[in-house]
Amino acid sequence: MKSTRVRVIVAVAAAGVALTACSPTQAGAAAVVGGDRISSNELDGNVREFEAALAKANVSVAQLQFPGSLPQVVLFQLATAKQYTKVAESKGVTVTDAEIDQVISATGGQAQHEQQMLQQAVAPSQSRDFTRAKLLMTKLMAKYGGGSDQAALQRGQEQAIKDLASVKITWNPRYGQINAQPSQEQPNLFLDSGRFGAGPAAAPQQ
């Protein structure tokens, strides 16, 4: 498996992020996305599944050069996928199972697709949901942009960012404080280590 880091569109990923701590009524939540909880138990289960899949593939976390610790990047992907889905579906955008199957087929089948998802900190059981979320956001931006040229893509992204701001993500501070403006100097998803450590600094993308 080729070493890589989590790839996100920074402007989109940073939108709609709340920097406040989870309230007492949300105890046990790793993050809250537009009122929907991602529990600490759910996150822990995804991390364990991810680690098992990596071991099976004979790949270490260090090889993947994630921009943060494993719990941080897995949580980030779970939360943003949920955010993308909620926003796009609220705007009437849909994705069929056949469209997801087409993406999986294009990547070489289910096994190969899951391997690619591991490179993005997505556990095998979440691969279809994550693919659905990415397709939904792509279709939403295309809907807003009204074309495939650079100007259209820019228009679509700008409007999608505004929509994402309507579905806030509140992160439990035990995982650190979200980095709303990643840079080459500070590429990690979270500005501080929280209780789980920031992990090795991510290598710049080539």
Side-chain angles (χ1 to χ4, degrees), residues 63-118:
Q63 285 178 271
L64 298 176
Q65 300 179 26
F66 286 148
S69 69
L70 187 55
Q72 287 173 330
V73 293
V74 171
L75 175 60
F76 185 85
Q77 296 295 62
L78 285 171
T80 53
K82 187 179 289 288
Q83 182 192 41
Y84 291 178
T85 300
K86 289 173 72 71
V87 167
E89 289 182 344
S90 74
K91 301 301 179 180
V93 178
T94 61
V95 168
T96 66
D97 286 339
E99 288 175 308
I100 298 172
D101 291 338
Q102 186 176 16
V103 171
I104 293 174
S105 178
T107 59
Q110 185 66 34
Q112 185 64 28
H113 182 67
E114 289 181 0
Q115 291 293 305
Q116 291 188 15
M117 290 295 97
L118 288 179

